[in-house]
Every structure is written in structure tokens, then in C-alpha cells.
Amino acid sequence: RLSSSTQGVKDPSVLARVYEYDEMLSRIADNPIGGYGMNASIRFFNPIEQETQTTSINHNGFFFLFFRVGIPMALLYILPLLYWTYRSFRYSIVINDPYYKDLTIAFFSCLMLIIIANFPSTQLDTRDAVFVTALAYAIIANVIEKYESKRIT
């Protein structure tokens, strides 16, 4: 699949994503505030099947959120994710204690992987990603609190 996707829009699966994303962006533009609900589906031409397809699955987790819950609600999820990713990166640089530095780097890596994996698939709504995200926020907040109260260096 990777070798065929390097052909760009000549590859049917890449072309299917282009059609899917085009439809998603069009629908998001039609209802940017409220979204369409968590059970919403889209219709787009699928060049792999050579037919119009209706699906509730989206291959981009960010579009998934914007489409289903609207931009304002999606930002309530995405902005804290970016905020805690930034804070974990920042504190992984300034903390000297090896245990807490490694802990902060580990959870920075987890958050980055969730962000990256969310581009080709929907991760933000899976039970595992929600659990890892909440755990990362809690541990990073705890490490920052310890650092700022001078209990670690």
C-alpha cells in the first residue's frame, strides 16, 4: 500500500481519500458550528469500488471531530491536546531529574503519536486513546506541579 500511495492521485486508495476529504470539508463548511452528530455519515465516490459509498467512518480524526461535533466543540478537545503536548515538551527540556525527565518525554511521545496517528485514522474517540490522553494530562500536570514547587529539579 505504501509503494502504491507514492503514485499520488493515480493510486485508487489515495484518490478515495481525496474524494472523502473533499466531501468532509464541504459538509464541515455547511455546518461548522454544530456539526452533524456522532452518528452522521457521508456519501462520496469511491474509485476502489467504482461506486458511490455511504459511510460513517472517516480516515482523518480531525475532520471526524469537526464534522460530527462542529468546530467549537472539536477545539475544546484539540486545544488541550496541543497545550499538554507543548507543556510536556517544554518540561522535558527543563527538568533535570532523570526519572521525571524520562516520564515527561514518554508522555510527550504518547501525545505526539496520538496527534500523528489521527491524520490517517480516527484515534481521538477510541477508548485507548482517551485513556492514554487523560493519563498523560494527569502525569504531566503532576510532574509540572512537583517541578514548580521545587520538589524536583
Side-chain angles (χ1 to χ4, degrees), residues 2-3 6 13 15 19 21 43 53 90 101 121 123 127:
L2 180 62
S3 64
T6 60
S13 79
L15 191 56
Y19 288 140
Y21 293 169
R43 291 178 53 82
Q53 179 178 347
R90 181 172 170 263
K101 184 179 216 53
S121 66
Q123 298 297 318
R127 184 176 48 235

Coordinates of all heavy atoms in Angstrom, one line a residue, residues 2-3 6 13 15 19 21 43 53 90 101 121 123 127:
L2 N 2.0 1.2 0.8 CA 2.9 2.4 0.8 C 3.5 2.7 -0.5 O 3.5 3.8 -1.0 CB 3.9 2.2 1.9 CG 4.9 3.4 2.0 CD1 4.2 4.6 2.5 CD2 6.0 3.0 3.0
S3 N 3.9 1.6 -1.2 CA 4.5 1.9 -2.5 C 3.5 2.4 -3.5 O 3.9 3.2 -4.4 CB 5.2 0.6 -3.0 OG 4.2 -0.4 -3.3
T6 N 2.6 6.2 -3.2 CA 3.6 7.2 -3.6 C 3.3 7.7 -5.0 O 3.9 8.7 -5.5 CB 5.0 6.6 -3.6 OG1 5.1 5.5 -4.5 CG2 5.5 6.3 -2.2
S13 N -6.6 4.2 -3.7 CA -6.9 4.5 -2.3 C -6.6 5.9 -1.9 O -7.3 6.5 -1.1 CB -6.1 3.5 -1.4 OG -4.8 3.8 -1.3
L15 N -6.8 8.4 -4.1 CA -7.9 9.1 -4.7 C -9.2 9.0 -3.9 O -9.9 10.0 -3.8 CB -8.1 8.6 -6.1 CG -9.0 9.4 -7.0 CD1 -8.5 10.9 -7.1 CD2 -9.1 8.8 -8.4
Y19 N -11.4 12.2 -2.4 CA -12.9 12.4 -2.5 C -13.5 12.5 -1.2 O -14.4 13.3 -0.9 CB -13.5 11.2 -3.3 CG -13.2 11.3 -4.8 CD1 -12.9 10.1 -5.5 CD2 -13.2 12.4 -5.5 CE1 -12.7 10.1 -6.8 CE2 -12.9 12.4 -6.9 CZ -12.6 11.3 -7.5 OH -12.4 11.3 -8.9
Y21 N -12.2 13.4 1.8 CA -11.8 14.6 2.4 C -12.5 15.8 1.8 O -12.9 16.7 2.5 CB -10.3 14.8 2.4 CG -9.5 13.8 3.2 CD1 -8.1 13.8 3.1 CD2 -10.1 12.9 4.1 CE1 -7.4 12.9 3.8 CE2 -9.3 12.0 4.8 CZ -8.0 12.0 4.7 OH -7.2 11.1 5.4
R43 N -21.5 10.6 1.9 CA -21.5 9.9 0.7 C -20.5 10.5 -0.2 O -20.4 11.7 -0.4 CB -22.9 10.0 0.0 CG -24.0 9.3 0.7 CD -25.3 9.5 0.0 NE -25.4 9.2 -1.4 CZ -25.6 8.0 -1.9 NH1 -25.7 6.9 -1.1 NH2 -25.6 7.8 -3.2
Q53 N -20.4 5.6 -2.2 CA -20.4 4.9 -0.9 C -20.9 5.8 0.2 O -20.6 7.0 0.2 CB -18.9 4.5 -0.6 CG -18.7 3.7 0.6 CD -17.3 3.3 0.8 OE1 -16.5 3.4 -0.1 NE2 -16.9 2.9 2.0
R90 N 8.1 21.1 26.6 CA 8.8 22.2 27.3 C 9.5 21.7 28.6 O 10.6 21.9 28.9 CB 7.9 23.4 27.6 CG 8.5 24.5 28.3 CD 7.6 25.7 28.4 NE 8.2 26.7 29.3 CZ 7.8 26.9 30.5 NH1 7.0 26.1 31.1 NH2 8.4 27.8 31.3
K101 N 12.3 13.4 33.9 CA 12.6 13.8 32.5 C 12.1 12.7 31.6 O 11.4 12.9 30.6 CB 14.0 14.1 32.3 CG 14.4 14.5 30.9 CD 15.9 14.8 30.9 CE 16.3 15.9 30.1 NZ 15.8 17.2 30.2
S121 N -6.2 8.1 10.5 CA -7.3 7.3 11.1 C -7.9 8.1 12.2 O -7.4 9.1 12.6 CB -6.7 6.0 11.6 OG -5.8 6.3 12.7
Q123 N -8.5 8.4 15.9 CA -7.9 7.9 17.2 C -8.6 8.7 18.4 O -8.6 8.1 19.4 CB -6.4 8.1 17.2 CG -5.7 7.4 16.2 CD -5.8 5.9 16.4 OE1 -5.8 5.4 17.5 NE2 -6.0 5.2 15.3
R127 N -11.4 4.3 22.9 CA -11.3 4.2 24.4 C -9.8 4.2 24.8 O -9.4 4.9 25.8 CB -11.9 2.9 24.8 CG -11.9 2.6 26.2 CD -12.7 1.3 26.5 NE -12.3 0.2 25.7 CZ -13.1 -0.5 24.9 NH1 -14.4 -0.3 24.9 NH2 -12.7 -1.5 24.2

